[in-house]
Amino acid sequence: MDGHSVDRHSVDGHSSDTGSAHLVELSHGTLHHSTHLAGPTDAVVSLSRAALARLADEPSALDALLADRTVVVHEGRQEAIAELLDLLVTFDLFFPVIEP
């Protein structure tokens, strides 16, 4: 995550396939996760684990997932999800992940 330019950004996520709730907050360059939802957030969304994995791999899929209601924004700003995804950083693996 490239969160150094963001003071605070938070999203409540509700898993549509497990029923669990998660708070993801980015503040002062640090990503936090909690299952204790507290305080106002930028958005409240529900999505499946498969949709979350797809968004992590392909953030540009957000519009399609919103259109077919795979991702549903219940409260807050829909743009907050795109803003959080825009902060994801990808990099090439330049070393072997598994050594024999």
Side-chain angles (χ1 to χ4, degrees), residues 38-54:
T41 61
D42 297 314
V44 176
V45 301
S46 63
L47 68 166
S48 66
R49 290 179 294 172
L52 179 61
R54 181 171 176 199

PDB file of all heavy atoms in Angstrom, residues 38-54:
ATOM      1  N   ALA A  38     -15.923  -0.001  14.582  1.00  0.00           N
ATOM      2  CA  ALA A  38     -16.153   1.125  15.485  1.00  0.00           C
ATOM      3  C   ALA A  38     -15.922   2.427  14.738  1.00  0.00           C
ATOM      4  O   ALA A  38     -14.994   2.540  13.945  1.00  0.00           O
ATOM      5  CB  ALA A  38     -15.215   1.050  16.685  1.00  0.00           C
ATOM      6  N   GLY A  39     -16.769   3.377  14.991  1.00  0.00           N
ATOM      7  CA  GLY A  39     -16.584   4.709  14.445  1.00  0.00           C
ATOM      8  C   GLY A  39     -17.037   4.837  13.010  1.00  0.00           C
ATOM      9  O   GLY A  39     -17.337   3.860  12.339  1.00  0.00           O
ATOM     10  N   PRO A  40     -17.077   6.062  12.541  1.00  0.00           N
ATOM     11  CA  PRO A  40     -17.504   6.312  11.159  1.00  0.00           C
ATOM     12  C   PRO A  40     -16.440   5.840  10.162  1.00  0.00           C
ATOM     13  O   PRO A  40     -15.247   5.888  10.441  1.00  0.00           O
ATOM     14  CB  PRO A  40     -17.665   7.830  11.111  1.00  0.00           C
ATOM     15  CG  PRO A  40     -16.760   8.342  12.178  1.00  0.00           C
ATOM     16  CD  PRO A  40     -16.734   7.286  13.239  1.00  0.00           C
ATOM     17  N   THR A  41     -16.896   5.345   9.048  1.00  0.00           N
ATOM     18  CA  THR A  41     -15.994   4.914   7.988  1.00  0.00           C
ATOM     19  C   THR A  41     -16.363   5.616   6.692  1.00  0.00           C
ATOM     20  O   THR A  41     -17.434   6.227   6.583  1.00  0.00           O
ATOM     21  CB  THR A  41     -16.054   3.392   7.778  1.00  0.00           C
ATOM     22  OG1 THR A  41     -17.384   3.038   7.410  1.00  0.00           O
ATOM     23  CG2 THR A  41     -15.649   2.634   9.024  1.00  0.00           C
ATOM     24  N   ASP A  42     -15.482   5.505   5.712  1.00  0.00           N
ATOM     25  CA  ASP A  42     -15.735   6.133   4.419  1.00  0.00           C
ATOM     26  C   ASP A  42     -16.779   5.380   3.612  1.00  0.00           C
ATOM     27  O   ASP A  42     -17.473   5.968   2.787  1.00  0.00           O
ATOM     28  CB  ASP A  42     -14.427   6.232   3.623  1.00  0.00           C
ATOM     29  CG  ASP A  42     -13.408   7.120   4.319  1.00  0.00           C
ATOM     30  OD1 ASP A  42     -13.789   8.215   4.758  1.00  0.00           O
ATOM     31  OD2 ASP A  42     -12.239   6.713   4.429  1.00  0.00           O
ATOM     32  N   ALA A  43     -16.889   4.072   3.850  1.00  0.00           N
ATOM     33  CA  ALA A  43     -17.875   3.263   3.131  1.00  0.00           C
ATOM     34  C   ALA A  43     -18.142   1.973   3.890  1.00  0.00           C
ATOM     35  O   ALA A  43     -17.279   1.477   4.613  1.00  0.00           O
ATOM     36  CB  ALA A  43     -17.387   2.937   1.727  1.00  0.00           C
ATOM     37  N   VAL A  44     -19.332   1.438   3.702  1.00  0.00           N
ATOM     38  CA  VAL A  44     -19.704   0.119   4.220  1.00  0.00           C
ATOM     39  C   VAL A  44     -20.096  -0.715   3.005  1.00  0.00           C
ATOM     40  O   VAL A  44     -21.013  -0.341   2.267  1.00  0.00           O
ATOM     41  CB  VAL A  44     -20.877   0.199   5.225  1.00  0.00           C
ATOM     42  CG1 VAL A  44     -21.294  -1.188   5.676  1.00  0.00           C
ATOM     43  CG2 VAL A  44     -20.502   1.071   6.409  1.00  0.00           C
ATOM     44  N   VAL A  45     -19.382  -1.826   2.798  1.00  0.00           N
ATOM     45  CA  VAL A  45     -19.600  -2.647   1.610  1.00  0.00           C
ATOM     46  C   VAL A  45     -19.820  -4.103   1.993  1.00  0.00           C
ATOM     47  O   VAL A  45     -19.432  -4.537   3.072  1.00  0.00           O
ATOM     48  CB  VAL A  45     -18.408  -2.563   0.631  1.00  0.00           C
ATOM     49  CG1 VAL A  45     -18.164  -1.154   0.183  1.00  0.00           C
ATOM     50  CG2 VAL A  45     -17.164  -3.164   1.220  1.00  0.00           C
ATOM     51  N   SER A  46     -20.447  -4.849   1.092  1.00  0.00           N
ATOM     52  CA  SER A  46     -20.504  -6.300   1.237  1.00  0.00           C
ATOM     53  C   SER A  46     -20.013  -6.912  -0.068  1.00  0.00           C
ATOM     54  O   SER A  46     -20.289  -6.392  -1.156  1.00  0.00           O
ATOM     55  CB  SER A  46     -21.913  -6.785   1.585  1.00  0.00           C
ATOM     56  OG  SER A  46     -22.811  -6.483   0.561  1.00  0.00           O
ATOM     57  N   LEU A  47     -19.259  -7.996   0.090  1.00  0.00           N
ATOM     58  CA  LEU A  47     -18.699  -8.692  -1.057  1.00  0.00           C
ATOM     59  C   LEU A  47     -18.235 -10.068  -0.614  1.00  0.00           C
ATOM     60  O   LEU A  47     -18.055 -10.307   0.574  1.00  0.00           O
ATOM     61  CB  LEU A  47     -17.528  -7.916  -1.667  1.00  0.00           C
ATOM     62  CG  LEU A  47     -16.235  -7.784  -0.872  1.00  0.00           C
ATOM     63  CD1 LEU A  47     -15.136  -7.284  -1.798  1.00  0.00           C
ATOM     64  CD2 LEU A  47     -16.356  -6.820   0.275  1.00  0.00           C
ATOM     65  N   SER A  48     -18.085 -10.953  -1.572  1.00  0.00           N
ATOM     66  CA  SER A  48     -17.614 -12.311  -1.267  1.00  0.00           C
ATOM     67  C   SER A  48     -16.086 -12.319  -1.201  1.00  0.00           C
ATOM     68  O   SER A  48     -15.430 -11.381  -1.649  1.00  0.00           O
ATOM     69  CB  SER A  48     -18.089 -13.283  -2.345  1.00  0.00           C
ATOM     70  OG  SER A  48     -17.456 -12.967  -3.575  1.00  0.00           O
ATOM     71  N   ARG A  49     -15.551 -13.397  -0.662  1.00  0.00           N
ATOM     72  CA  ARG A  49     -14.091 -13.541  -0.627  1.00  0.00           C
ATOM     73  C   ARG A  49     -13.527 -13.607  -2.040  1.00  0.00           C
ATOM     74  O   ARG A  49     -12.447 -13.083  -2.309  1.00  0.00           O
ATOM     75  CB  ARG A  49     -13.699 -14.774   0.172  1.00  0.00           C
ATOM     76  CG  ARG A  49     -13.974 -14.606   1.654  1.00  0.00           C
ATOM     77  CD  ARG A  49     -13.607 -15.836   2.428  1.00  0.00           C
ATOM     78  NE  ARG A  49     -14.488 -16.938   2.029  1.00  0.00           N
ATOM     79  CZ  ARG A  49     -14.356 -18.188   2.399  1.00  0.00           C
ATOM     80  NH1 ARG A  49     -13.361 -18.540   3.165  1.00  0.00           N
ATOM     81  NH2 ARG A  49     -15.212 -19.108   2.002  1.00  0.00           N
ATOM     82  N   ALA A  50     -14.240 -14.222  -2.951  1.00  0.00           N
ATOM     83  CA  ALA A  50     -13.781 -14.302  -4.341  1.00  0.00           C
ATOM     84  C   ALA A  50     -13.723 -12.910  -4.974  1.00  0.00           C
ATOM     85  O   ALA A  50     -12.784 -12.598  -5.713  1.00  0.00           O
ATOM     86  CB  ALA A  50     -14.699 -15.218  -5.146  1.00  0.00           C
ATOM     87  N   ALA A  51     -14.713 -12.075  -4.667  1.00  0.00           N
ATOM     88  CA  ALA A  51     -14.707 -10.708  -5.200  1.00  0.00           C
ATOM     89  C   ALA A  51     -13.552  -9.900  -4.616  1.00  0.00           C
ATOM     90  O   ALA A  51     -12.899  -9.128  -5.323  1.00  0.00           O
ATOM     91  CB  ALA A  51     -16.035 -10.018  -4.907  1.00  0.00           C
ATOM     92  N   LEU A  52     -13.275 -10.102  -3.330  1.00  0.00           N
ATOM     93  CA  LEU A  52     -12.152  -9.412  -2.703  1.00  0.00           C
ATOM     94  C   LEU A  52     -10.827  -9.828  -3.348  1.00  0.00           C
ATOM     95  O   LEU A  52      -9.977  -8.980  -3.637  1.00  0.00           O
ATOM     96  CB  LEU A  52     -12.136  -9.694  -1.203  1.00  0.00           C
ATOM     97  CG  LEU A  52     -11.010  -9.055  -0.409  1.00  0.00           C
ATOM     98  CD1 LEU A  52     -11.063  -7.539  -0.513  1.00  0.00           C
ATOM     99  CD2 LEU A  52     -11.073  -9.499   1.045  1.00  0.00           C
ATOM    100  N   ALA A  53     -10.662 -11.120  -3.581  1.00  0.00           N
ATOM    101  CA  ALA A  53      -9.443 -11.610  -4.231  1.00  0.00           C
ATOM    102  C   ALA A  53      -9.305 -11.035  -5.638  1.00  0.00           C
ATOM    103  O   ALA A  53      -8.219 -10.649  -6.055  1.00  0.00           O
ATOM    104  CB  ALA A  53      -9.446 -13.131  -4.270  1.00  0.00           C
ATOM    105  N   ARG A  54     -10.422 -10.963  -6.359  1.00  0.00           N
ATOM    106  CA  ARG A  54     -10.368 -10.400  -7.709  1.00  0.00           C
ATOM    107  C   ARG A  54      -9.986  -8.927  -7.670  1.00  0.00           C
ATOM    108  O   ARG A  54      -9.191  -8.463  -8.485  1.00  0.00           O
ATOM    109  CB  ARG A  54     -11.712 -10.581  -8.416  1.00  0.00           C
ATOM    110  CG  ARG A  54     -11.689 -10.044  -9.821  1.00  0.00           C
ATOM    111  CD  ARG A  54     -12.903 -10.382 -10.621  1.00  0.00           C
ATOM    112  NE  ARG A  54     -12.829  -9.744 -11.926  1.00  0.00           N
ATOM    113  CZ  ARG A  54     -13.870  -9.543 -12.699  1.00  0.00           C
ATOM    114  NH1 ARG A  54     -15.070  -9.982 -12.326  1.00  0.00           N
ATOM    115  NH2 ARG A  54     -13.736  -8.942 -13.860  1.00  0.00           N
TER     116      ARG A  54
END
